[in-house]
Amino acid sequence: MADRVHPMPAPPPPSSSPPPGHDAAAATETTPLHPSFRGAPPPSPGTYIIQIPKDQVLRVPPPDRARRYKKLAARPARRRRLRHACCGAFCGVLLLLLLAAAFVGVVYLVFRPRAPSFSVASLSIRGLDALAVSSLTPQIDAAVRADNGANKKTGIDYRGGGEVTVSYSGERLAAGPWPAFHQAPRNVTVFSTALAGGGVYLIF
């Protein structure tokens, strides 16, 4: 007995129209969530919007202001150079002062200089006649003692041009030259000098 073959129903022809839910999905994918933020709001009446390329903003000044722009741009660099020069000079002067102070301190600690002391070893006066009516001309011979014993490493040079004076109650009686000599450390020197005066009046 032969088998029977039943015919199958033909499939429906493909349709160009999308399925029912496809339109909603496509609309959801392409439609923005917030349609109100698509673009910037329109400008208010009376305003203008000027767009300048980014590579030309604050880079290329106009030709009529190029020289002024160059001067203004060079001012900060000039001020920085001047400020650096002033700081360098101030630091140099401060360094020199510190070096000088250190040198003086070292010299003082090494030599420890002291001022010499002076005293009158002997004194002789001539020309003071109390019975004279006219002015007196006193003559004084003085022996001065210069003591440099306090200095152990420092000698003293006395140069010419100085003066030795004798006064009484603020009145100058006589004056004489100061001799020039060198005094060694830990030395005591006694020198003599002649002093002369004039126009001295004695009031009793």
Side-chain angles (χ1 to χ4, degrees):
M1 183 174 176
D3 295 332
R4 290 185 178 181
V5 179
H6 299 281
M8 296 293 295
S15 176
S16 59
S17 60
H22 182 73
D23 294 339
T28 303
E29 293 178 0
T30 58
T31 304
L33 296 178
H34 302 284
S36 60
F37 294 97
R38 288 184 178 179
S44 59
T47 59
Y48 299 91
I49 299 177
I50 301 175
Q51 296 182 355
I52 302 175
K54 187 182 296 184
D55 58 346
Q56 296 183 5
V57 175
L58 299 178
R59 291 188 180 181
V60 181
D64 56 340
R65 298 185 181 179
R67 184 177 301 176
R68 179 174 177 81
Y69 173 79
K70 187 176 181 180
K71 290 182 179 180
L72 293 177
R75 281 185 180 179
R78 191 180 307 168
R79 290 178 180 176
R80 284 195 298 270
R81 288 195 298 268
L82 181 61
R83 191 181 298 112
H84 291 167
C86 292
C87 291
F90 178 76
C91 292
V93 172
L94 183 60
L95 180 61
L96 290 178
L97 292 177
L98 291 177
L99 291 177
F103 177 76
V104 171
V106 170
V107 170
Y108 179 79
L109 292 177
V110 171
F111 295 97
R112 294 183 179 275
R114 297 289 188 273
S117 60
F118 302 95
S119 60
V120 178
S122 62
L123 187 68
S124 63
I125 304 175
R126 302 184 308 273
L128 292 181
D129 189 0
L131 300 178
V133 180
S134 60
S135 62
L136 303 178
T137 57
Q139 303 291 327
I140 301 176
D141 293 329
V144 181
R145 183 176 183 271
D147 188 359
N148 193 31
N151 291 314
K152 300 179 180 180
K153 298 181 180 180
T154 305
I156 301 176
D157 284 326
Y158 296 96
R159 299 183 179 181
E163 189 179 44
V164 180
T165 60
V166 176
S167 61
Y168 176 76
S169 297
E171 297 294 334
R172 181 173 176 176
L173 301 179
W178 179 278
F181 65 96
H182 174 76
Q183 189 173 20
R186 297 183 177 180
N187 176 264
V188 176
T189 302
V190 178
F191 61 91
S192 299
T193 180
L195 296 83
V200 179
Y201 294 90
L202 295 179
I203 301 176
F204 298 98

